[in-house]
Amino acid sequence: MFKVSIELTDSLKNLLKETAKQLKGGAKRKFIAQTVAALGHGGQLKAEQELGWNRVTISKGIKELTSGITCVDNYRGRGRYKAESHLPNLLSDIKNLVDGQSQIDRSFKSQRLYTRLSASVVRHQLIEKFGLTATQDSASLVMIIIFINCIFYFLEVPKTIHSVHPTFYK
């Protein structure tokens, strides 16, 4: 088996990991590629096992280092936009719907407000009252649950309060 030219001590591992964490994009890949090149034969495997670096990132960095061309990353262009960006009134609309259908915790130990509405009911009311179209992906149930929790309402309905004993109504 081939020997690696540089032995990685714990302090050197920590230094390399912290340095790689602080760098982003092409600079990080260049640093990783230079480190792997300094490790010598078997350096990619050693870097993956000892430092936890991804082999795909290592090979991409080595290709960038040898060619001299840095790949441009477009991380901001990935993913989808937040619902607030294309539906700015969604949070206030949900708050208006849930406000009238909520009650405080029955034990009065917390300031939590519980709503009697489910996320699907809130979604249907948003479609009916505020003109959201049913096809808009922003009105998904998971997102509505997250928004309801963001405005400090909880979907769990507390047990009913029996303040008066039923025998008093005889």
Side-chain angles (χ1 to χ4, degrees), residues 8-23:
L8 295 174
T9 62
D10 289 337
S11 61
L12 183 60
K13 286 180 196 177
N14 290 334
L15 176 69
L16 293 172
K17 285 180 186 179
E18 289 300 317
T19 305
K21 264 188 202 175
Q22 293 173 0
L23 298 172

Side-chain angles (χ1 to χ4, degrees), residues 55-113:
R55 289 288 287 266
V56 176
T57 306
I58 294 170
S59 63
K60 187 175 181 181
I62 290 172
K63 287 176 187 175
E64 288 177 350
L65 190 64
T66 56
S67 70
I69 300 171
T70 303
C71 298
V72 179
D73 295 324
N74 186 15
Y75 286 112
R76 290 184 181 187
R78 295 183 185 177
R80 67 181 201 191
Y81 295 105
K82 290 186 176 184
E84 296 95 346
S85 65
H86 53 87
L87 291 171
N89 298 328
L90 184 63
L91 198 59
S92 62
D93 292 345
I94 290 174
K95 184 170 174 46
N96 289 338
L97 287 175
V98 175
D99 236 359
Q101 298 290 326
S102 61
Q103 61 188 27
I104 196 161
D105 184 15
R106 70 181 178 108
S107 64
F108 298 108
K109 292 181 180 177
S110 69
Q111 295 296 320
R112 285 184 165 190
L113 290 171

